[in-house]
């Protein structure tokens, strides 16, 4: 009854921009969620790389409770404590010197695109607005960020797109060299492509991009919206590749489940923003920044990164064993706890059957099963997912 009501209301009154799976989730704890019938699921979607500390982590719950009793919102016309403390924590733990707060990944990328263009103009390069992005990338759903997204399916029906974007294949240094001309101001890239199918950078690719940007005097922007915040085993993915960008964007996992976005940049670049350049009413709101503070402090102090590396390697090994058993598994790719398993056929039915068997997983690019479990996941929980997959695959 309850379940039908929720599904009917949603289908009737909410714009159908998602094709949802037919369960109503009512409760979560750690790596588990429960539906309205009380059925339990192991959650290997993790709110799409948002719930990096699992569901309802006590530190996050406490921070939100405490802050919402004190102050929920005042706008950025005034200083607030949690925002200042979060900025300090982010800057002290990254390459960057300053941060701009907003509310989503798309907004963070919008800010990065605006900053890159403004900085370049202020350096006297008046006609240099072009940004190179990758095919199969994903940067968000606003007009600028669908344009930045190098996938036609996200453009269709929304033309004209924003001028000034060029696409090249991911992992192709020569294509970048060819695409750069005197109008180029920046390269925008995900260190690992998430929505595009969990595509990892080949050795020295990101270092190569850094070198090219330095040689041409253009900016390197890393979109770490999906892979930041511990997902790859370091707080930020760039640390694991020995490359520092000029600008980095964050969102998904940053505040443990409440909406936030952030754009970080090094000093010389970020100084192109001055009062009036850019803004966000909710950006850096006290409740979300208090939640983000609790999230990052917990990631840094509780062995979360170590767990991500250890369980990530274990999971990868187990999935690779499945690949040896089942020839229809084309490839297993990933780092830390973002792992993709590419199949030779559409993965939609696998996702549904996993759900029936009490495991939530996701599929991207049609054929790539994507695993984004909370970073607190255990080997025992991985074993359970492997058993379910093995059992299902053996019936194909
Ligand atoms: C999810 C995602 C975005 C968009 O974030 P929203 O919060 O949905 O706007 C941008 N970039 C990457 C890499 C993402 O995974």
């Amino acid at each position: 009854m309850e379940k039908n009501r929720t599904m009917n209301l949603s289908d009737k009154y909410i714009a159908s921009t998602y094709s949802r799976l037919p369960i109503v989730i009512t409760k979560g704890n750690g790596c588990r969620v429960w539906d309205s019938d009380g059925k339990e699921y192991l959650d290997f979607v993790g709110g799409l790389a948002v719930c990096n500390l699992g569901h309802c982590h006590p530190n996050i719950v406490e921070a939100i409770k405490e802050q919402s009793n004190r102050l929920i919102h005042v706008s950025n016309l005034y200083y607030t404590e949690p925002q200042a403390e979060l900025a300090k924590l982010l800057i002290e733990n990254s390459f960057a010197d300053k941060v701009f707060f907003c509310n989503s990944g798309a907004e963070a990328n919008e800010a990065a695109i605006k900053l890159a263009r403004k900085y370049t103009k202020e350096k006297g390069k008046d006609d240099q607005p072009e940004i190179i992005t990758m095919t199969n990338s994903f940067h968000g759903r606003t007009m600028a960020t669908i344009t930045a997204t190098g996938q036609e399916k996200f453009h269709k029906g929304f033309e004209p797109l924003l001028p000034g974007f060029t696409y090249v294949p991911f992992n192709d240094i020569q294509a970048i060299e060819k695409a750069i001309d005197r109008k180029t101001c920046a390269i925008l890239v995900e260190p690992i492509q998430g929505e595009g199918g969990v595509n990892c950078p080949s050795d020295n690719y990101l270092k190569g991009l850094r070198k090219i940007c330095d040689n041409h005097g253009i900016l390197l922007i890393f979109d770490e919206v999906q892979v930041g915040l511990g997902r790859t085993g370091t707080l930020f993915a760039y640390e694991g590749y020995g490359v520092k960008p000029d600008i980095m964007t964050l969102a998904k996992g940053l505040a443990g489940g409440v909406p936030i976005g952030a754009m970080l940049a090094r000093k010389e670049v970020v100084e192109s923003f001055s009062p009036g350049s850019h803004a966000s009413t909710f950006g850096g709101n006290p409740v979300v920044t208090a939640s983000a503070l609790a999230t990052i402090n917990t990631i840094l102090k509780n062995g979360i990164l170590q767990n991500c590396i250890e369980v990530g390697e274990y999971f990868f090994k187990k999935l690779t064993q499945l690949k040896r058993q089942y020839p229809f598994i084309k490839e297993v790719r990933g780092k830390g706890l973002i792992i993709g398993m590419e199949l030779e056929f559409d993965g939609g039915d696998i996702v549904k059957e996993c759900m029936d068997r009490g495991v939530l997983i996701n599929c991207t690019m049609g054929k790539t099963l994507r695993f984004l479990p909370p970073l607190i996941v255990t080997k025992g929980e991985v074993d359970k997912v492997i058993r379910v997959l093995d059992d299902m695959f053996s019936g194909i």
Side-chain angles (χ1 to χ4, degrees):
M1 226 17 237
E2 289 289 306
K3 174 179 172 176
N4 285 339
R5 178 180 160 83
T6 302
M7 286 174 46
N8 290 340
L9 290 178
S10 302
D11 293 343
K12 186 167 177 198
Y13 294 118
I14 301 173
S16 51
T17 60
Y18 282 90
S19 49
R20 300 177 205 259
L21 291 157
I23 55 172
V24 177
I25 297 179
T26 53
K27 194 168 78 160
N29 188 276
C31 295
R32 269 145 234 274
V33 294
W34 287 264
D35 72 13
S36 50
D37 298 325
K39 180 174 166 179
E40 181 180 304
Y41 302 84
L42 249 183
D43 182 8
F44 271 46
V45 177
L48 282 173
V50 168
C51 308
N52 288 6
L53 294 174
H55 294 278
C56 301
H57 190 286
N59 296 359
I60 294 177
V61 172
E62 196 46 47
I64 292 173
K65 266 193 196 164
E66 211 272 331
Q67 184 57 47
S68 56
N69 265 320
R70 189 188 299 272
L71 179 72
I72 294 179
H73 185 80
V74 286
S75 89
N76 284 308
L77 299 177
Y78 314 96
Y79 292 93
T80 57
E81 226 174 88
Q83 188 182 107
E85 296 297 335
L86 175 63
K88 174 174 183 282
L89 193 61
L90 282 169
I91 296 313
E92 285 182 353
N93 284 284
S94 72
F95 73 94
D97 299 298
K98 284 194 174 179
V99 55
F100 170 80
F101 289 117
C102 49
N103 314 289
S104 68
E107 281 179 59
N109 286 327
E110 285 275 346
I113 291 163
K114 286 178 72 175
L115 179 64
R117 285 188 170 173
K118 192 151 194 298
Y119 166 76
T120 306
K121 265 204 188 357
E122 285 187 359
K123 279 184 75 173
K125 302 171 178 176
D126 239 352
D127 189 24
Q128 208 171 313
E130 292 203 353
I131 297 175
I132 298 175
T133 70
M134 310 302 147
T135 51
N136 292 330
S137 59
F138 185 79
H139 300 293
R141 300 293 203 136
T142 60
M143 280 310 299
T145 58
I146 57 166
T147 307
T149 294
Q151 300 192 54
E152 257 170 45
K153 67 180 183 210
F154 295 114
H155 300 165
K156 254 188 128 165
F158 300 111
E159 297 90 350
L161 301 179
L162 195 71
F165 287 83
T166 311
Y167 314 109
V168 303
F170 187 61
N171 273 336
D172 187 340
I173 284 284
Q174 278 177 352
I176 295 265
E177 290 274 22
K178 258 194 225 149
I180 290 179
D181 60 24
R182 45 172 198 82
K183 289 195 165 196
T184 309
C185 82
I187 297 173
L188 166 61
V189 64
E190 299 156 83
I192 296 174
Q193 292 188 326
E195 303 305 306
V198 190
N199 305 315
C200 296
S202 44
D203 285 351
N204 293 321
Y205 175 65
L206 298 174
K207 279 190 180 148
L209 292 185
R210 179 71 271 174
K211 203 177 280 169
I212 288 174
C213 286
D214 291 343
N215 288 345
H216 291 268
I218 62 177
L219 297 171
L220 181 59
I221 308 171
F222 280 174
D223 177 345
E224 293 217 13
V225 168
Q226 187 158 153
V227 294
L229 282 305
R231 179 63 45 195
T232 62
T234 47
L235 186 60
F236 303 114
Y238 74 83
E239 298 171 65
Y241 295 103
V243 180
K244 289 178 188 166
D246 301 295
I247 303 175
M248 170 173 73
T249 55
L250 302 172
K252 294 194 164 89
L254 178 53
V258 287
I260 190 170
M263 180 210 58
L264 290 76
R266 64 181 174 81
K267 193 166 191 300
E268 190 209 344
V269 179
V270 79
E271 278 174 354
S272 296
F273 270 181
S274 54
S277 301
H278 197 46
S280 169
T281 297
F282 284 122
N285 159 294
V287 177
V288 301
T289 47
S291 183
L293 264 174
T295 302
I296 297 176
N297 278 323
T298 307
I299 290 175
L300 291 176
K301 289 176 190 158
N302 293 37
I304 305 291
L305 297 174
Q306 193 51 38
N307 189 71
C308 171
I309 293 167
E310 271 175 41
V311 180
E313 278 171 8
Y314 180 77
F315 193 16
F316 195 92
K317 196 179 76 191
K318 292 277 169 182
L319 290 169
T320 306
Q321 281 168 7
L322 287 182
K323 177 178 175 288
R324 280 194 216 107
Q325 250 171 287
Y326 300 104
F328 54 77
I329 300 173
K330 274 179 79 176
E331 196 176 25
V332 178
R333 319 180 269 269
K335 185 172 190 200
L337 284 167
I338 172 167
I339 306 180
M341 175 185 253
E342 188 177 339
L343 306 174
E344 274 179 357
F345 49 82
D346 190 280
D349 288 344
I350 303 279
V351 169
K352 283 195 196 102
E353 201 173 331
C354 270
M355 187 184 82
D356 292 340
R357 294 170 185 242
V359 172
L360 302 183
I361 62 167
N362 172 254
C363 181
T364 188
M365 297 301 273
K367 295 176 178 175
T368 301
L369 303 181
R370 181 174 43 164
F371 307 98
L372 297 160
L375 310 182
I376 56 166
V377 69
T378 64
K379 288 182 184 170
E381 287 164 335
V382 164
D383 286 338
K384 181 173 172 194
V385 171
I386 294 291
R387 269 200 305 278
V388 166
L389 289 173
D390 193 5
D391 199 49
M392 268 168 30
F393 289 163
S394 67
I396 289 173

